[in-house]
mmCIF file of all heavy atoms in Angstrom:
data_model
loop_
_atom_site.group_PDB
_atom_site.id
_atom_site.type_symbol
_atom_site.label_atom_id
_atom_site.label_comp_id
_atom_site.label_asym_id
_atom_site.label_seq_id
_atom_site.Cartn_x
_atom_site.Cartn_y
_atom_site.Cartn_z
ATOM 1 N N LEU T 103 50.787 -14.882 45.101
ATOM 2 C CA LEU T 103 49.482 -14.500 45.719
ATOM 3 C C LEU T 103 48.446 -15.517 45.297
ATOM 4 O O LEU T 103 47.534 -15.829 46.109
ATOM 5 C CB LEU T 103 49.078 -13.130 45.262
ATOM 6 C CG LEU T 103 49.786 -11.935 45.928
ATOM 7 C CD1 LEU T 103 49.531 -10.642 45.164
ATOM 8 C CD2 LEU T 103 49.312 -11.812 47.375
ATOM 9 N N ARG T 104 48.513 -16.033 44.092
ATOM 10 C CA ARG T 104 47.510 -17.016 43.624
ATOM 11 C C ARG T 104 47.547 -18.268 44.466
ATOM 12 O O ARG T 104 46.556 -19.000 44.564
ATOM 13 C CB ARG T 104 47.770 -17.353 42.152
ATOM 14 C CG ARG T 104 47.581 -16.178 41.223
ATOM 15 C CD ARG T 104 47.838 -16.571 39.784
ATOM 16 N NE ARG T 104 46.763 -17.451 39.309
ATOM 17 C CZ ARG T 104 45.611 -17.021 38.791
ATOM 18 N NH1 ARG T 104 45.403 -15.703 38.644
ATOM 19 N NH2 ARG T 104 44.715 -17.841 38.368
ATOM 20 N N ARG T 105 48.676 -18.541 45.101
ATOM 21 C CA ARG T 105 48.801 -19.752 45.908
ATOM 22 C C ARG T 105 48.378 -19.564 47.361
ATOM 23 O O ARG T 105 48.268 -20.514 48.114
ATOM 24 C CB ARG T 105 50.260 -20.247 45.912
ATOM 25 C CG ARG T 105 50.789 -20.630 44.541
ATOM 26 C CD ARG T 105 52.223 -21.006 44.581
ATOM 27 N NE ARG T 105 52.838 -20.939 43.266
ATOM 28 C CZ ARG T 105 54.145 -20.979 43.062
ATOM 29 N NH1 ARG T 105 54.974 -21.076 44.078
ATOM 30 N NH2 ARG T 105 54.608 -20.906 41.800
ATOM 31 N N SER T 106 48.112 -18.325 47.753
ATOM 32 C CA SER T 106 47.740 -18.032 49.105
ATOM 33 C C SER T 106 46.293 -18.461 49.384
ATOM 34 O O SER T 106 45.427 -18.337 48.504
ATOM 35 C CB SER T 106 47.895 -16.532 49.421
ATOM 36 O OG SER T 106 47.349 -16.242 50.663
ATOM 37 N N ALA T 107 46.019 -18.889 50.570
ATOM 38 C CA ALA T 107 44.644 -19.232 50.966
ATOM 39 C C ALA T 107 43.846 -17.980 51.309
ATOM 40 O O ALA T 107 42.604 -18.045 51.345
ATOM 41 C CB ALA T 107 44.674 -20.162 52.175
ATOM 42 N N ASP T 108 44.508 -16.855 51.476
ATOM 43 C CA ASP T 108 43.831 -15.601 51.790
ATOM 44 C C ASP T 108 44.758 -14.427 51.642
ATOM 45 O O ASP T 108 45.235 -13.825 52.586
ATOM 46 C CB ASP T 108 43.327 -15.669 53.243
ATOM 47 C CG ASP T 108 42.287 -14.584 53.561
ATOM 48 O OD1 ASP T 108 41.675 -14.054 52.595
ATOM 49 O OD2 ASP T 108 42.126 -14.265 54.748
ATOM 50 N N GLY T 109 45.102 -14.119 50.362
ATOM 51 C CA GLY T 109 46.126 -13.109 50.073
ATOM 52 C C GLY T 109 45.539 -11.723 49.812
ATOM 53 O O GLY T 109 44.375 -11.582 49.383
ATOM 54 N N ARG T 110 46.372 -10.688 50.017
ATOM 55 C CA ARG T 110 45.964 -9.331 49.730
ATOM 56 C C ARG T 110 47.158 -8.593 49.076
ATOM 57 O O ARG T 110 48.278 -8.700 49.553
ATOM 58 C CB ARG T 110 45.564 -8.554 50.974
ATOM 59 C CG ARG T 110 44.420 -9.182 51.758
ATOM 60 C CD ARG T 110 43.093 -9.039 51.033
ATOM 61 N NE ARG T 110 41.980 -9.561 51.840
ATOM 62 C CZ ARG T 110 41.576 -10.842 51.814
ATOM 63 N NH1 ARG T 110 42.204 -11.706 51.032
ATOM 64 N NH2 ARG T 110 40.555 -11.214 52.572
ATOM 65 N N PHE T 111 46.854 -7.833 48.040
ATOM 66 C CA PHE T 111 47.817 -6.928 47.436
ATOM 67 C C PHE T 111 47.247 -5.519 47.639
ATOM 68 O O PHE T 111 46.089 -5.262 47.239
ATOM 69 C CB PHE T 111 48.035 -7.196 45.947
ATOM 70 C CG PHE T 111 49.112 -6.368 45.341
ATOM 71 C CD1 PHE T 111 50.388 -6.908 45.135
ATOM 72 C CD2 PHE T 111 48.884 -5.071 44.916
ATOM 73 C CE1 PHE T 111 51.396 -6.108 44.565
ATOM 74 C CE2 PHE T 111 49.861 -4.298 44.350
ATOM 75 C CZ PHE T 111 51.128 -4.817 44.165
ATOM 76 N N VAL T 112 48.011 -4.620 48.247
ATOM 77 C CA VAL T 112 47.500 -3.319 48.650
ATOM 78 C C VAL T 112 48.405 -2.217 48.171
ATOM 79 O O VAL T 112 49.637 -2.274 48.298
ATOM 80 C CB VAL T 112 47.407 -3.233 50.194
ATOM 81 C CG1 VAL T 112 46.761 -1.915 50.609
ATOM 82 C CG2 VAL T 112 46.636 -4.419 50.792
ATOM 83 N N ILE T 113 47.757 -1.164 47.569
ATOM 84 C CA ILE T 113 48.441 0.082 47.296
ATOM 85 C C ILE T 113 47.715 1.186 48.048
ATOM 86 O O ILE T 113 46.535 1.061 48.335
ATOM 87 C CB ILE T 113 48.605 0.400 45.823
ATOM 88 C CG1 ILE T 113 47.252 0.766 45.192
ATOM 89 C CG2 ILE T 113 49.290 -0.694 45.064
ATOM 90 C CD1 ILE T 113 47.354 1.489 43.869
ATOM 91 N N VAL T 114 48.435 2.250 48.314
ATOM 92 C CA VAL T 114 47.834 3.481 48.917
ATOM 93 C C VAL T 114 47.770 4.537 47.824
ATOM 94 O O VAL T 114 48.810 4.972 47.297
ATOM 95 C CB VAL T 114 48.622 3.950 50.116
ATOM 96 C CG1 VAL T 114 47.969 5.205 50.706
ATOM 97 C CG2 VAL T 114 48.727 2.850 51.176
ATOM 98 N N SER T 115 46.564 4.943 47.452
ATOM 99 C CA SER T 115 46.387 5.982 46.491
ATOM 100 C C SER T 115 45.949 7.262 47.170
ATOM 101 O O SER T 115 45.898 7.339 48.412
ATOM 102 C CB SER T 115 45.390 5.534 45.406
ATOM 103 O OG SER T 115 45.384 6.459 44.324
ATOM 104 N N ALA T 116 45.626 8.231 46.371
ATOM 105 C CA ALA T 116 45.239 9.565 46.883
ATOM 106 C C ALA T 116 43.977 10.039 46.204
ATOM 107 O O ALA T 116 43.683 9.710 45.059
ATOM 108 C CB ALA T 116 46.364 10.549 46.669
ATOM 109 N N LYS T 117 43.248 10.885 46.952
ATOM 110 C CA LYS T 117 42.039 11.467 46.380
ATOM 111 C C LYS T 117 42.350 12.283 45.141
ATOM 112 O O LYS T 117 41.474 12.469 44.256
ATOM 113 C CB LYS T 117 41.318 12.329 47.431
ATOM 114 C CG LYS T 117 40.800 11.523 48.604
ATOM 115 C CD LYS T 117 40.039 12.358 49.588
ATOM 116 C CE LYS T 117 38.636 12.705 49.082
ATOM 117 N NZ LYS T 117 37.743 11.515 49.040
ATOM 118 N N ALA T 118 43.587 12.707 45.036
ATOM 119 C CA ALA T 118 44.030 13.487 43.853
ATOM 120 C C ALA T 118 43.872 12.737 42.567
ATOM 121 O O ALA T 118 43.717 13.329 41.505
ATOM 122 C CB ALA T 118 45.481 13.958 44.024
ATOM 123 N N ALA T 119 43.870 11.396 42.621
ATOM 124 C CA ALA T 119 43.716 10.605 41.412
ATOM 125 C C ALA T 119 42.377 10.821 40.755
ATOM 126 O O ALA T 119 42.215 10.700 39.530
ATOM 127 C CB ALA T 119 43.949 9.122 41.719
ATOM 128 N N GLN T 120 41.378 11.126 41.594
ATOM 129 C CA GLN T 120 40.032 11.345 41.100
ATOM 130 C C GLN T 120 39.703 12.855 40.990
ATOM 131 O O GLN T 120 38.844 13.243 40.219
ATOM 132 C CB GLN T 120 39.011 10.700 42.041
ATOM 133 C CG GLN T 120 39.186 9.214 42.190
ATOM 134 C CD GLN T 120 38.876 8.444 40.889
ATOM 135 O OE1 GLN T 120 37.854 8.736 40.234
ATOM 136 N NE2 GLN T 120 39.729 7.559 40.483
ATOM 137 N N ARG T 121 40.415 13.668 41.756
ATOM 138 C CA ARG T 121 40.179 15.116 41.721
ATOM 139 C C ARG T 121 41.482 15.837 41.633
ATOM 140 O O ARG T 121 41.974 16.448 42.577
ATOM 141 C CB ARG T 121 39.405 15.536 42.978
ATOM 142 C CG ARG T 121 38.049 14.873 43.134
ATOM 143 C CD ARG T 121 37.302 15.339 44.368
ATOM 144 N NE ARG T 121 36.999 16.753 44.304
ATOM 145 C CZ ARG T 121 36.382 17.419 45.292
ATOM 146 N NH1 ARG T 121 36.050 16.786 46.393
ATOM 147 N NH2 ARG T 121 36.123 18.746 45.183
ATOM 148 N N PRO T 122 42.116 15.803 40.443
ATOM 149 C CA PRO T 122 43.457 16.436 40.282
ATOM 150 C C PRO T 122 43.400 17.960 40.413
ATOM 151 O O PRO T 122 42.389 18.571 40.047
ATOM 152 C CB PRO T 122 43.850 16.015 38.861
ATOM 153 C CG PRO T 122 42.920 14.904 38.497
ATOM 154 C CD PRO T 122 41.652 15.159 39.237
ATOM 155 N N THR T 123 44.471 18.506 40.898
ATOM 156 C CA THR T 123 44.626 19.963 40.912
ATOM 157 C C THR T 123 45.508 20.401 39.760
ATOM 158 O O THR T 123 46.222 19.550 39.169
ATOM 159 C CB THR T 123 45.255 20.446 42.222
ATOM 160 O OG1 THR T 123 46.572 19.844 42.353
ATOM 161 C CG2 THR T 123 44.396 20.023 43.446
ATOM 162 N N ALA T 124 45.401 21.641 39.407
ATOM 163 C CA ALA T 124 46.196 22.142 38.230
ATOM 164 C C ALA T 124 47.695 21.914 38.425
ATOM 165 O O ALA T 124 48.382 21.536 37.462
ATOM 166 C CB ALA T 124 45.911 23.631 38.048
#
Side-chain angles (χ1 to χ4, degrees):
L103 283 166
R104 297 180 70 86
R105 299 177 198 167
S106 172
D108 195 22
R110 302 289 184 272
F111 186 98
V112 184
I113 69 163
V114 179
S115 190
K117 294 183 78 69
Q120 300 294 313
R121 299 181 64 181
T123 61

